[in-house]
Amino acid sequence: MKTLNSKPQAGLQGHLTVPGDKSISHRGIMFGAISQGQTVLHHFLTSADCLSTLAAFQQLGVPISRSGDTVTIEGVGLNGLSGSSTPLDMGNSGTTTRLIMGLLAGQTFDSTLVGDASLSKRPMRRVSDPLGAMHAEIETSDGHLPVTVHGRQLTAFNGRLQVASAQVKSALILAALQADGPSTIVEQLPTRDHTERLLNAFGADVQTASDGITITVQPHPTLHGQTMTVPGDMSSAAFFMVAASLVPGSKVTLENVGMNPTRTGLLDILQRMGGQVTVVPRSSKGEPVADLTIETAQLKPIEIGETAIPAVIDELPLVALLAAKADGISTIIGASELRVKETDRISAVVTEFKKLGIAIEERPDGFVIDGRQPWHVTDANLDAHNDHRIGMVLAIASLLVATPLRLAGEESVGISYPNFFADLATLLPKEVGQP
Ligand code: S3P
């Protein structure tokens, strides 16, 4: 149990560089591993999830070393991985699991994937079914981990995906690199496109049509190792963007934040709600980055539907928090994917926000929140539900409450942001009597 910081006597102030992007850190390891030559990743996210990817590729015979947040990968090429006689441990990481399934499906060896209790409840048929259409042979445990992937020669994919998921799309793209001809993958809605951008930077030919949802992949590219700096993670920056917007008298600058347009949904929503954000783009070799300065603002309510969801999928608990302080009723729908994240995030947000007296109603695919009702704490014992993003959103919510709150499961923040509490502390005012 951790005692959370309660309402500070003044606003949040200062500058912060958030850790590297989780999605890009995972992919940097994977694509470096299947390239020829060396890949160096600076500002790699050294969180538990990304370290699961690092360890899995070491186990597949790829030499990888790490010094602080710099990772060096000696690529073995698309045909150079070697099978592991022991299961690959995916930890808590859905991204590692889904992407590696696509990659391993086209290899010449068999692999078994296992994960922790939360990951073992998450759906895997969304990946094994479309891979099956490429003649992949994947055995799941009733749609879940443990999964055994029997490496096979794959046929090309030509079809539409059933869920709007970058993880599923990326699995298919990685399988398509090994198929017997060009593949065409059609998404439901555009999702984060780090796989497409990064693979092309490593030398692949992955093209997205002007409709934004049709992706063509040419098989058997020769990929070449790259040196790159991972941008700051928008999904981590988002916690401080929301904190600065809501805690009166705040002004916070977040440096070098990734601005890939498939990831900036929270920024767009905050601005539509009347948030005060100044965006100063920085020059970068790879994905776009910017410095963001956020100041406190009175927010208006918002309505969000299905098409806006993929660009803000991981930030929806934070959108719910913004809505809980906006001067009206907000509706977030079309977000049923939240039910199959590290925990059921709709149910977790509703349960925990109700402890703070927030007027929130659960919908099958989202929430309705009345921000005009004053909060009143009915239960000071909050629970992260073993989910990093739930733990962090509750730590931000506690800054809006005078009563000291406690958080169970605070260690879950290490999945994506091990230094979260220390970074937050640097922005908080020094209370009277504190050194
Ligand atoms: C991710 C995609 C998203 C996101 C996850 C990371 C990725 O999942 O929630 O945190 O790196 O591809 P889905 O694609 O399943 O929505």
Side-chain angles (χ1 to χ4, degrees):
M1 276 280 195
K2 181 178 175 62
T3 302
L4 297 172
N5 295 99
S6 43
K7 201 179 226 165
Q9 287 167 4
L12 276 65
Q13 298 283 336
H15 288 239
L16 194 67
T17 302
V18 291
D21 187 273
K22 180 155 89 67
S23 294
I24 298 176
S25 294
H26 282 299
R27 287 160 174 81
I29 298 257
M30 294 182 184
F31 305 165
I34 58 171
S35 291
Q36 313 280 356
Q38 193 176 69
T39 287
V40 181
L41 307 172
H42 298 291
H43 202 48
F44 174 82
L45 174 63
T46 56
S47 76
D49 261 13
C50 297
L51 294 176
S52 292
T53 293
L54 191 156
F57 278 85
Q58 283 176 326
Q59 212 174 321
L60 292 167
V62 183
I64 307 176
S65 59
R66 179 168 78 84
S67 164
D69 65 0
T70 297
V71 172
T72 305
I73 304 142
E74 305 298 339
V76 296
L78 199 45
N79 303 316
L81 299 173
S82 38
S84 166
S85 53
T86 51
L88 299 167
D89 186 359
M90 305 287 104
N92 186 247
S93 178
T95 306
T96 314
T97 313
R98 270 89 177 239
L99 270 63
I100 220 170
M101 279 168 72
L103 180 61
L104 294 175
Q107 296 291 314
T108 52
F109 51 82
D110 296 351
S111 309
T112 297
L113 312 177
V114 296
D116 73 6
S118 149
L119 186 59
S120 302
K121 288 194 200 120
R122 297 180 65 188
M124 295 301 158
R125 283 208 178 105
R126 51 180 52 207
V127 186
S128 59
D129 281 354
L131 286 175
M134 303 175 79
H135 295 95
E137 208 184 309
I138 299 176
E139 283 171 65
T140 69
S141 306
D142 205 15
H144 300 94
L145 291 181
V147 160
T148 297
V149 182
H150 300 282
R152 285 284 176 274
Q153 174 57 55
L154 301 175
T155 56
F157 184 85
N158 223 305
R160 201 183 181 93
L161 302 178
Q162 298 304 308
V163 267
S165 159
Q167 293 179 350
V168 175
K169 170 182 66 176
S170 300
L172 271 280
I173 293 174
L174 288 169
L177 294 180
Q178 307 164 81
D180 64 356
S183 293
T184 303
I185 301 160
V186 184
E187 289 199 86
Q188 291 278 333
L189 288 170
T191 61
R192 66 187 66 192
D193 64 357
H194 304 297
T195 297
E196 297 89 310
R197 286 176 184 245
L198 262 186
L199 274 177
N200 285 329
F202 278 81
D205 184 356
V206 181
Q207 302 300 332
T208 305
S210 55
D211 63 5
I213 54 168
T214 305
I215 298 145
T216 311
V217 185
Q218 301 300 328
H220 305 293
T222 302
L223 305 175
H224 296 284
Q226 301 292 312
T227 293
M228 55 183 275
T229 300
V230 179
D233 196 325
M234 172 59 85
S235 298
S236 298
F239 293 99
F240 305 114
M241 292 166 67
V242 169
S245 296
L246 296 180
V247 177
S250 298
K251 183 174 181 182
V252 169
T253 298
L254 303 166
E255 290 166 353
N256 225 17
V257 182
M259 291 289 286
N260 179 314
T262 61
R263 296 286 301 283
T264 50
L266 181 86
L267 177 62
D268 302 338
I269 288 167
L270 181 56
Q271 287 176 325
R272 275 169 58 203
M273 294 178 86
Q276 288 285 320
V277 188
T278 311
V279 179
V280 180
R282 282 200 185 193
S283 71
S284 75
K285 244 180 58 196
E287 296 221 358
V289 292
D291 294 342
L292 308 178
T293 298
I294 303 96
E295 292 175 75
T296 313
Q298 175 56 54
L299 301 180
K300 302 186 286 256
I302 195 158
E303 296 206 349
I304 301 171
E306 193 182 22
T307 55
I309 297 298
V312 67
I313 184 71
D314 290 337
E315 291 72 64
L316 287 169
L318 283 166
V319 175
L321 186 60
L322 290 172
K325 284 289 177 188
D327 62 1
I329 297 176
S330 297
T331 310
I332 300 160
I333 54 168
S336 52
E337 274 296 298
L338 283 184
R339 298 224 180 253
V340 290
K341 293 296 179 189
E342 285 82 331
T343 188
D344 175 343
R345 287 188 178 153
I346 295 179
S347 156
V349 164
V350 170
T351 305
E352 300 307 312
F353 279 24
K354 281 194 168 160
K355 293 179 183 172
L356 305 179
I358 294 170
I360 183 166
E361 268 179 41
E362 182 165 351
R363 290 288 143 89
D365 59 346
F367 336 85
V368 177
I369 300 161
D370 187 349
R372 291 167 304 191
Q373 183 167 308
W375 299 14
H376 58 276
V377 176
T378 57
D379 183 349
N381 291 317
L382 304 181
D383 187 345
H385 297 246
N386 284 321
D387 181 325
H388 52 131
R389 299 201 199 280
I390 299 296
M392 291 188 277
V393 77
L394 295 175
I396 300 302
S398 79
L399 301 175
L400 305 166
V401 172
T403 322
L405 303 174
R406 284 176 298 277
L407 179 67
E410 76 276 10
E411 67 287 345
S412 59
V413 306
I415 290 298
S416 66
Y417 199 161
N419 270 332
F420 170 75
F421 288 108
D423 281 356
L424 174 60
T426 67
L427 300 176
L428 290 171
K430 296 258 175 291
E431 301 291 343
V432 180
Q434 231 180 272

